[in-house]
Short mmCIF file of all heavy atoms in Angstrom, two decimals:
data_model
loop_
_atom_site.label_atom_id
_atom_site.label_comp_id
_atom_site.label_asym_id
_atom_site.label_seq_id
_atom_site.Cartn_x
_atom_site.Cartn_y
_atom_site.Cartn_z
N ARG A 6 3.06 6.44 -2.63
CA ARG A 6 4.21 7.04 -3.23
C ARG A 6 3.98 7.34 -4.72
O ARG A 6 4.33 8.35 -5.27
CB ARG A 6 5.49 6.06 -3.15
CG ARG A 6 6.13 6.10 -1.76
CD ARG A 6 7.50 5.59 -1.76
NE ARG A 6 7.36 4.18 -1.96
CZ ARG A 6 7.34 3.16 -1.07
NH1 ARG A 6 7.37 3.51 0.24
NH2 ARG A 6 7.31 1.87 -1.34
N ALA A 9 1.80 10.32 -5.15
CA ALA A 9 2.34 11.65 -4.67
C ALA A 9 2.82 12.52 -5.73
O ALA A 9 2.96 13.75 -5.60
CB ALA A 9 3.42 11.38 -3.58
N ASP A 10 3.25 11.95 -6.94
CA ASP A 10 3.87 12.70 -7.96
C ASP A 10 2.82 13.33 -8.90
O ASP A 10 1.97 12.51 -9.40
CB ASP A 10 4.79 11.77 -8.72
CG ASP A 10 5.58 12.55 -9.83
OD1 ASP A 10 5.00 12.68 -10.94
OD2 ASP A 10 6.69 12.91 -9.50
N ASN A 24 -9.22 5.58 -21.62
CA ASN A 24 -8.55 4.38 -21.17
C ASN A 24 -7.89 3.56 -22.42
O ASN A 24 -8.40 3.84 -23.55
CB ASN A 24 -9.34 3.50 -20.32
CG ASN A 24 -8.66 2.89 -19.20
OD1 ASN A 24 -7.40 3.10 -18.90
ND2 ASN A 24 -9.47 2.24 -18.36
N LEU A 54 -1.50 0.38 -9.98
CA LEU A 54 -2.56 1.48 -10.29
C LEU A 54 -2.86 1.40 -11.78
O LEU A 54 -3.94 1.94 -12.18
CB LEU A 54 -2.05 2.81 -9.94
CG LEU A 54 -2.04 3.15 -8.44
CD1 LEU A 54 -1.21 4.24 -8.07
CD2 LEU A 54 -3.51 3.25 -7.93
N LEU A 99 -12.02 5.74 -10.66
CA LEU A 99 -11.36 4.56 -11.19
C LEU A 99 -12.40 3.44 -11.46
O LEU A 99 -12.24 2.73 -12.42
CB LEU A 99 -10.26 4.07 -10.31
CG LEU A 99 -9.00 4.94 -10.19
CD1 LEU A 99 -8.12 4.40 -9.24
CD2 LEU A 99 -8.42 5.12 -11.62
N TYR A 111 -8.65 -5.50 -15.60
CA TYR A 111 -8.53 -5.44 -14.16
C TYR A 111 -7.49 -6.42 -13.64
O TYR A 111 -7.49 -7.56 -13.95
CB TYR A 111 -9.93 -5.74 -13.37
CG TYR A 111 -10.03 -5.47 -11.87
CD1 TYR A 111 -10.63 -4.33 -11.38
CD2 TYR A 111 -9.43 -6.24 -10.96
CE1 TYR A 111 -10.78 -4.04 -10.16
CE2 TYR A 111 -9.51 -6.07 -9.67
CZ TYR A 111 -10.30 -4.89 -9.24
OH TYR A 111 -10.38 -4.76 -7.78
N PRO A 119 -1.67 -20.94 -8.17
CA PRO A 119 -2.39 -20.96 -9.34
C PRO A 119 -3.43 -22.09 -9.42
O PRO A 119 -4.49 -21.99 -9.86
CB PRO A 119 -1.27 -21.27 -10.43
CG PRO A 119 0.01 -20.66 -9.82
CD PRO A 119 -0.13 -20.87 -8.32
N ASP A 143 -17.61 -29.14 -18.75
CA ASP A 143 -16.39 -29.81 -18.43
C ASP A 143 -15.12 -29.05 -18.60
O ASP A 143 -14.00 -29.55 -18.43
CB ASP A 143 -16.31 -31.11 -19.21
CG ASP A 143 -16.21 -30.74 -20.80
OD1 ASP A 143 -16.12 -29.62 -21.07
OD2 ASP A 143 -16.45 -31.78 -21.67
N GLN A 164 -22.79 -20.04 -25.83
CA GLN A 164 -22.21 -19.76 -24.53
C GLN A 164 -21.19 -20.90 -24.21
O GLN A 164 -21.56 -22.03 -23.71
CB GLN A 164 -23.41 -19.79 -23.63
CG GLN A 164 -23.16 -19.05 -22.27
CD GLN A 164 -24.48 -19.11 -21.55
OE1 GLN A 164 -25.29 -18.21 -21.83
NE2 GLN A 164 -24.59 -20.00 -20.60
N LEU A 175 -7.94 -19.03 -18.73
CA LEU A 175 -9.30 -19.54 -18.92
C LEU A 175 -10.04 -18.40 -19.68
O LEU A 175 -9.97 -17.25 -19.24
CB LEU A 175 -9.96 -19.78 -17.49
CG LEU A 175 -11.31 -20.22 -17.59
CD1 LEU A 175 -11.51 -21.60 -18.23
CD2 LEU A 175 -12.01 -20.31 -16.20
N VAL A 208 -14.81 -13.17 -21.73
CA VAL A 208 -13.98 -12.85 -20.59
C VAL A 208 -12.79 -13.70 -20.47
O VAL A 208 -12.96 -15.03 -20.79
CB VAL A 208 -14.77 -12.83 -19.21
CG1 VAL A 208 -15.31 -14.26 -18.99
CG2 VAL A 208 -13.91 -12.40 -18.01
N GLY A 240 -19.09 -2.14 -13.52
CA GLY A 240 -19.45 -1.87 -12.20
C GLY A 240 -19.52 -3.13 -11.31
O GLY A 240 -19.38 -2.95 -10.07
N TRP A 242 -17.47 -6.17 -11.89
CA TRP A 242 -16.28 -7.02 -11.65
C TRP A 242 -15.53 -6.62 -10.54
O TRP A 242 -14.97 -7.48 -9.81
CB TRP A 242 -15.43 -6.87 -13.01
CG TRP A 242 -15.81 -7.83 -14.06
CD1 TRP A 242 -16.13 -7.62 -15.43
CD2 TRP A 242 -15.84 -9.33 -13.95
NE1 TRP A 242 -16.33 -8.78 -16.12
CE2 TRP A 242 -16.07 -9.85 -15.19
CE3 TRP A 242 -15.50 -10.17 -12.93
CZ2 TRP A 242 -16.19 -11.24 -15.44
CZ3 TRP A 242 -15.42 -11.58 -13.16
CH2 TRP A 242 -15.86 -12.06 -14.34
N LEU A 249 -13.46 -12.44 -4.43
CA LEU A 249 -12.68 -13.62 -4.66
C LEU A 249 -11.38 -13.69 -3.96
O LEU A 249 -10.96 -14.50 -3.34
CB LEU A 249 -12.40 -13.71 -6.29
CG LEU A 249 -11.34 -14.62 -6.73
CD1 LEU A 249 -11.63 -16.07 -6.47
CD2 LEU A 249 -11.11 -14.36 -8.17
N LEU A 253 -10.10 -16.21 -0.91
CA LEU A 253 -8.91 -17.12 -0.99
C LEU A 253 -7.84 -16.78 0.05
O LEU A 253 -7.14 -17.62 0.54
CB LEU A 253 -8.25 -16.91 -2.42
CG LEU A 253 -8.98 -17.64 -3.61
CD1 LEU A 253 -8.39 -17.31 -4.94
CD2 LEU A 253 -9.06 -19.07 -3.36
#
Side-chain angles (χ1 to χ4, degrees):
R6 281 195 293 268
D10 186 278
N24 221 354
L54 284 162
L99 291 179
Y111 189 104
D143 60 8
Q164 199 171 280
L175 178 67
V208 62
W242 271 123
L249 165 63
L253 287 173

